[in-house]
Amino acid sequence: MTPEQIKLVQESLSKVAPISDEAAMLFYDRLFEIAPQLKALFPADMTEQRRKLMSTLVIVVSGLSDLPSILPAASALATRHVAYGAKAEHYPVVGQALLWTLEKGLGKDWTADVAAAWLAAYTTLSSFMINQAYGRPQAAE
Ligand code: HEM
């Protein structure tokens, strides 16, 4: 990610922060719409889950300018997700729901540059988490 992309991601997340609970609601509704099979993995009461997701996003996004500072926490998060039943192939669908939510939340501020910056951020984080949790996928598999 370029420093400019990191700035775009940080600025756009701060615009969504005032509506973070609505954004999280939108995110899970969208996720369960495009991947209904994932609903069973989550607790019935999603109140706490929404809060944790948004606070983690804020921490990760603020750490983008100093990646080594967030990698240990991202690695532990990835390992916990194995126990939650998350699989490597679920990460792209979660990313799709996240970007869709940001697009809805940001409206006219969702520009092509902001979209590209978020895609780069999610790809960086999710590739690292997948690699930590499941190892590097083999071409032959
Ligand atoms: C970069 C991507 C992701 C981030 C930042 C993220 C973040 C979080 C956070 C902060 C929690 C709260 C619990 C904890 O801290 O351990 C959580 C729980 C959970 N996540 Fe994720 N997550 C991501 C990807 C995924 C994916 C791909 C799945 C696949 C289905 C998933 C499924 C779950 C489930 C099922 C729980 C709740 C488990 C429970 O409380 O019983 N997450 N996630």
Side-chain angles (χ1 to χ4, degrees), residues 28 38 41-43 49 52-53 56-57 60 77 80-81 84-87 90-91 94 122 125-126 129:
Y28 286 112
L38 297 187
L41 303 180
F42 287 87
Q49 183 70 29
K52 283 188 193 162
L53 174 76
T56 301
L57 266 186
V60 169
L77 182 66
R80 289 200 297 278
H81 275 72
Y84 300 154
K87 304 267 185 287
H90 296 150
Y91 280 84
V94 165
Y122 187 79
L125 177 65
S126 63
M129 287 176 66

Side-chain angles (χ1 to χ4, degrees), residues 48-134:
E48 187 64 6
Q49 183 70 29
R50 286 198 293 274
R51 200 189 53 73
K52 283 188 193 162
L53 174 76
M54 295 313 284
S55 59
T56 301
L57 266 186
V58 169
I59 294 167
V60 169
V61 163
S62 64
L64 285 176
S65 22
D66 179 19
L67 269 184
S69 71
I70 53 166
L71 294 185
S75 176
L77 182 66
T79 307
R80 289 200 297 278
H81 275 72
V82 177
Y84 300 154
K87 304 267 185 287
E89 64 264 29
H90 296 150
Y91 280 84
V93 80
V94 165
Q96 213 185 312
L98 178 67
L99 266 68
W100 180 91
T101 305
L102 289 160
E103 180 177 358
K104 297 293 150 198
L106 287 167
K108 64 167 176 38
D109 290 335
W110 181 254
T111 62
D113 284 350
V114 171
W118 270 99
L119 183 62
Y122 187 79
T123 305
T124 302
L125 177 65
S126 63
S127 315
F128 175 76
M129 287 176 66
I130 290 169
N131 196 34
Q132 291 296 302
Y134 313 101

